[in-house]
Amino acid sequence: MSTAWVLSAGALAAAFPWVHQRLQLSRAKHRSLAGHSFMAKRLARWVPGYSYTEDRFFAVDGALPEVAARRKAAFFRLSAALTARAPQGLALTAQMRSALPDLQFTGRYRVPFQFSELVRQHLPLPAFWAHADGVGMTDLDGNHCLDLTGSYGVNVFGVDFYKATMAEGAELGATLGPVLGGYHPCVADNVERLKAISGMDAVSFHMSGTEAVMQAVRLARYHTGRRKLVRFCGAYHGWWDDVQPGPGNPMPPGHAYTLKDMDERSLQVLRTRQDIACVLVNPLQALHPNRNAPGDSTVMTTRHSEPAEREVYAQWLASLREVCTQRGIALIFDEVFVGFRLARGGAQAHYGVQADMVTYGKTLGGGLPVGVVCGKTAWMQRFRPERPADICFARGTFNAHPYVMGAMNAFLRRLDTPEIQALYDGLDERWHNHLKHFNHGLQQAGVPVRVAGLSSIWTLNFTVPSRYHWMLQFYLREQGLALSWVGTGRMVFSLNHTGQDMAEVLRRCVLACQQMRADGWWSTPAGTTARDLQRSVLKEMWRARWSGRA
C-alpha cells in the first residue's frame, strides 16, 4: 500500500465529517433568500436601481389603458387630498429630511423602489406628531388618526398609561437626578419583580433591546467557549452584525447560522455540531414562520402568512429546550417586542417553555429607552474566580439611569393592578374574536384583504396578485389610520383597544379597501398569476441591469 494512497484515504476520512456537517447545515436552511444570507447579500448587490416613468408607473402589470388612466387620476386625487390636509407637517418633514438620514431611508423604502421616486414627489406623509391620547394621535395640522403603529412595540397598554409611568418615573428619580454608576433604591424592587416574572435568578440593565441581545449572546459565548449562534429564518434580533446577516449589514455573514424555523433538520444541526453557543428565538416569528417581517416595500405579488398554532409552536420550543439542554447550548428568548404583550410572563408563560436567558426592552421601560437581560446564575456571571483575568465585560454609562429605573418601577407595579390584570384575563380569546370579526367584515365587503395575527400584532394579507398592494397604506392614512413606515405589513394594537375602537378601525379599513378597489389598483389583467408578475419584475431588473433602463 503506497504512502500516497494512505495519505489520500486519511484526508478523505478526515474531510468526510466536515462534508457531512456542511450538507446537514445546508439542508436545515430555508429555501428562500431569507434563509441564505450570503446569497441574499450577493443578489442585493446585483439588483439595479431604476424608476418607472409616469407613463409606465400605472400599467406595469399590463393593465388596459382605461384602468391605467383610472389609477392615475386616483393617484393625483389622493396626492392632493393628503398634501392639502398636512401643510405644516409636510413642510417640517421636508425641511428636516436632509439632516435626518432616518427620514431619507423611510421615505425611500416605504414602497417598492421602482415606484419610490414618484411616490416621494406626490404622496409624502408627515413624520411629526403633536399630541397623543387614548388610541389616537394628532399631527401638527390637527388631523386625528387612530394609532396602529404600536410605537414599534412599546405601546402595549395605551399611550396614557406610559405618560403616567414616565411622570411617576421622573418624580421618583428626581431626587437623585443624573447620578450614574450607583443605583436608585427602586432598582432593588425592579430586580425582584423581574426575577419573579421571568423565572430567572439575575438581571442586567442596558439601554436598548439590541444591546440586551448583544449581551446575552456575549455571555453565551463566554460560558460555552463557542463562537457560533443560531437564529431562525426571517427573525429580527436588532441591527448588530451577528444577528442581522445579509442585506442591510455591510459586513459579510460571520458567526451566525440561519436555520429553518420549526424543522427537524435544524434540531439535528444542534444535536451534532460542536461550535454553537446559543440559539436565539424571537417568538414573533410564530406569526410568519421563516419569513422576514412583512413590509410594503417588498410586496410585489400576493402576500400571505399563516401563523403557527399555539400548541404547535409550543411543541417546537419544547423540542429546542430539550436539545439545548442536552448539548449545553444557551436558549435565549428575545422578547424585546412581544414581552408583556402575549402574557404577563411573556412568551415563556404563553408557550410554557423556559429559556436560559430572556431579553426585554421597549414597553418595560415604561415609555423610556431600556434593555434587560434576565438569566440563570450560571449564564449571567461575568467573571471566573479561578481565572481572574478571564472576564466578560459589559457596562454602559446610562445603564440603570434613575429616571428609566423609576419609569420601569412604575410599569412593573402597575402590572399587578386590577385594571391591567383585567386586560390579561381572556386575552387570547378576546383578540381571536377581534381577528375573526375583522376578517368577516373584510369578506362581507368583498375586498381582497385578510388579517392574520399573534394576539394584538396583526399583518394584512392579500388574496389576489397585484403590483400595487403597497398603495393601501396611503388609502388607510386618508381614512385616518396611522401605520408605521413599513406600511400595511404590520398593525400593532394596544391592549386597551375596545370593541368599539376595533369596529371603527374595521370601518375605516373597509372604506380604504373599497376605494382602492374602485380606483383600479387591484384590477390586474385576467389570467395573470403571482408567478407571472414575479417573472415580469425579474425580466425588467435583468434589462435594467444590462441596458441601464427598465
Side-chain angles (χ1 to χ4, degrees):
M1 188 179 295
S2 68
T3 303
W5 189 92
V6 172
L7 290 174
S8 297
L12 183 62
F16 181 78
W18 180 87
V19 172
H20 175 71
Q21 280 197 334
R22 191 67 188 84
L23 288 173
Q24 190 178 60
L25 185 63
S26 296
R27 289 170 180 163
K29 293 181 178 180
H30 196 262
R31 290 184 176 183
S32 70
L33 285 173
H36 292 79
S37 304
F38 182 75
M39 293 301 296
K41 196 172 180 68
R42 293 192 65 177
L43 181 61
R45 290 195 295 265
W46 177 88
V47 174
Y50 61 93
S51 297
Y52 295 136
T53 63
E54 187 173 314
D55 289 340
R56 178 140 170 76
F57 186 99
F58 301 101
V60 293
D61 57 355
L64 295 173
E66 55 267 29
V67 174
R70 184 155 35 113
R71 291 171 178 173
K72 184 175 181 178
F75 181 87
F76 286 105
R77 179 204 64 79
L78 191 59
S79 171
L82 293 176
T83 302
R85 71 168 53 180
Q88 295 183 61
L90 290 175
L92 185 57
T93 302
Q95 174 189 330
M96 296 306 301
R97 181 170 286 112
S98 63
L100 280 174
D102 280 359
L103 283 181
Q104 299 167 27
F105 183 85
T106 56
R108 182 170 292 274
Y109 289 95
R110 187 181 293 275
V111 303
F113 70 87
Q114 303 97 324
F115 298 95
S116 180
E117 185 173 340
L118 206 62
V119 167
R120 283 184 288 118
Q121 291 176 21
H122 298 288
L123 290 178
L125 295 178
F128 293 87
W129 297 97
H131 181 72
D133 59 8
V135 294
M137 302 185 294
T138 304
D139 68 15
L140 303 186
D141 296 277
N143 300 301
H144 186 267
C145 291
L146 297 179
D147 180 14
L148 305 184
T149 71
S151 294
Y152 294 105
V154 172
N155 189 358
V156 175
F157 298 115
V159 68
D160 297 318
F161 174 96
Y162 297 95
K163 286 183 179 181
T165 53
M166 291 169 70
E168 290 177 33
E171 184 178 355
L172 190 63
T175 55
L176 195 57
V179 174
L180 307 173
Y183 297 103
H184 190 285
C186 73
V187 170
D189 188 44
N190 289 347
V191 168
E192 291 306 312
R193 290 176 183 272
L194 285 169
K195 285 168 57 180
I197 287 170
S198 66
M200 301 295 178
D201 307 317
V203 180
S204 66
F205 298 106
H206 307 276
M207 281 304 297
S208 71
T210 288
E211 189 177 301
V213 175
M214 291 174 73
Q215 173 62 358
V217 172
R218 190 179 175 99
L219 285 167
R221 286 169 167 164
Y222 174 68
H223 287 290
T224 62
R226 307 165 191 166
R227 299 171 63 188
K228 302 293 185 181
L229 66 88
V230 164
R231 61 187 289 275
F232 292 105
C233 179
Y236 181 75
H237 298 285
W239 49 261
W240 60 287
D241 287 348
D242 281 4
V243 297
Q244 195 186 35
N249 183 351
M251 297 297 290
H255 299 300
Y257 296 139
T258 299
L259 303 185
K260 193 184 303 182
D261 213 351
M262 304 178 68
D263 193 274
E264 174 61 31
R265 290 176 175 175
S266 297
L267 296 178
Q268 192 59 25
V269 168
L270 297 176
R271 292 188 187 102
T272 55
R273 295 195 70 95
Q274 306 293 327
D275 56 352
I276 297 173
C278 60
V279 173
L280 281 171
V281 174
N282 185 339
L284 183 57
Q285 287 305 110
L287 178 55
H288 42 77
N290 292 307
R291 298 183 63 176
N292 292 328
D296 280 347
S297 66
T298 58
V299 178
M300 291 192 298
T301 55
T302 56
R303 180 175 69 206
H304 183 73
S305 60
E306 193 66 35
E309 294 183 7
R310 179 176 176 177
E311 295 77 12
V312 174
Y313 199 72
Q315 186 176 9
W316 161 248
L317 293 179
S319 298
L320 276 177
R321 173 70 281 172
E322 181 180 2
V323 173
C324 287
T325 300
Q326 293 171 353
R327 303 295 296 168
I329 298 169
L331 178 60
I332 303 170
F333 279 12
D334 176 358
E335 296 205 43
V336 171
F337 196 99
V338 300
F340 306 97
R341 185 174 286 275
L342 301 181
R344 181 179 179 276
Q348 290 190 111
H350 184 71
Y351 291 111
V353 176
Q354 189 169 58
D356 295 305
M357 288 181 278
V358 57
T359 62
Y360 300 111
K362 295 188 183 292
T363 197
L364 178 57
L368 296 179
V370 77
V372 168
V373 182
C374 298
K376 299 297 185 182
T377 300
W379 291 105
M380 294 291 284
Q381 189 163 319
R382 303 178 189 177
F383 62 91
R384 307 184 200 280
E386 69 279 12
R387 293 199 295 275
D390 185 4
I391 62 174
C392 181
F393 190 83
R395 290 290 296 164
T397 300
F398 289 100
N399 291 359
H401 189 288
Y403 279 59
V404 176
M405 291 297 103
M408 181 188 296
N409 191 250
F411 174 89
L412 290 171
R413 283 187 285 106
R414 282 175 177 245
L415 279 183
D416 293 328
T417 63
E419 294 80 7
I420 297 301
Q421 288 303 309
L423 291 177
Y424 282 124
D425 291 340
L427 182 70
D428 286 346
E429 183 180 3
R430 183 164 64 254
W431 282 94
H432 175 75
N433 288 336
H434 285 326
L435 191 76
K436 183 178 179 181
H437 179 70
F438 210 94
N439 275 326
H440 179 72
L442 293 170
Q443 185 177 16
Q444 289 294 104
V447 295
V449 176
R450 298 293 183 271
V451 290
L454 178 66
S455 187
S456 55
I457 307 167
W458 291 9
T459 185
L460 288 182
N461 295 316
F462 301 100
T463 61
V464 298
S466 172
R467 290 291 306 278
Y468 298 97
H469 291 317
W470 51 268
M471 275 294 298
L472 182 55
Q473 63 181 293
F474 300 101
Y475 282 91
L476 291 171
R477 175 57 72 91
E478 184 184 31
Q479 293 297 330
L481 296 178
L483 305 169
S484 70
W485 73 273
V486 298
T488 59
R490 183 161 289 162
M491 301 166 70
V492 184
F493 299 92
S494 50
L495 298 186
N496 67 324
H497 272 76
T498 65
Q500 185 177 356
D501 295 327
M502 297 303 295
E504 180 61 17
V505 173
L506 173 61
R507 186 187 71 83
R508 299 186 188 195
C509 188
V510 165
L511 287 174
C513 291
Q514 289 175 331
Q515 186 62 58
M516 181 163 165
R517 182 186 58 191
D519 287 341
W521 300 105
W522 285 318
S523 298
T524 302
T528 303
T529 66
R531 187 175 295 274
D532 293 333
L533 294 179
Q534 289 171 332
R535 286 172 177 168
S536 70
V537 173
L538 290 174
K539 287 179 181 178
E540 72 181 35
M541 285 184 180
W542 181 264
R543 290 196 299 269
R545 171 72 177 177
W546 297 111
S547 68
R549 57 184 174 83

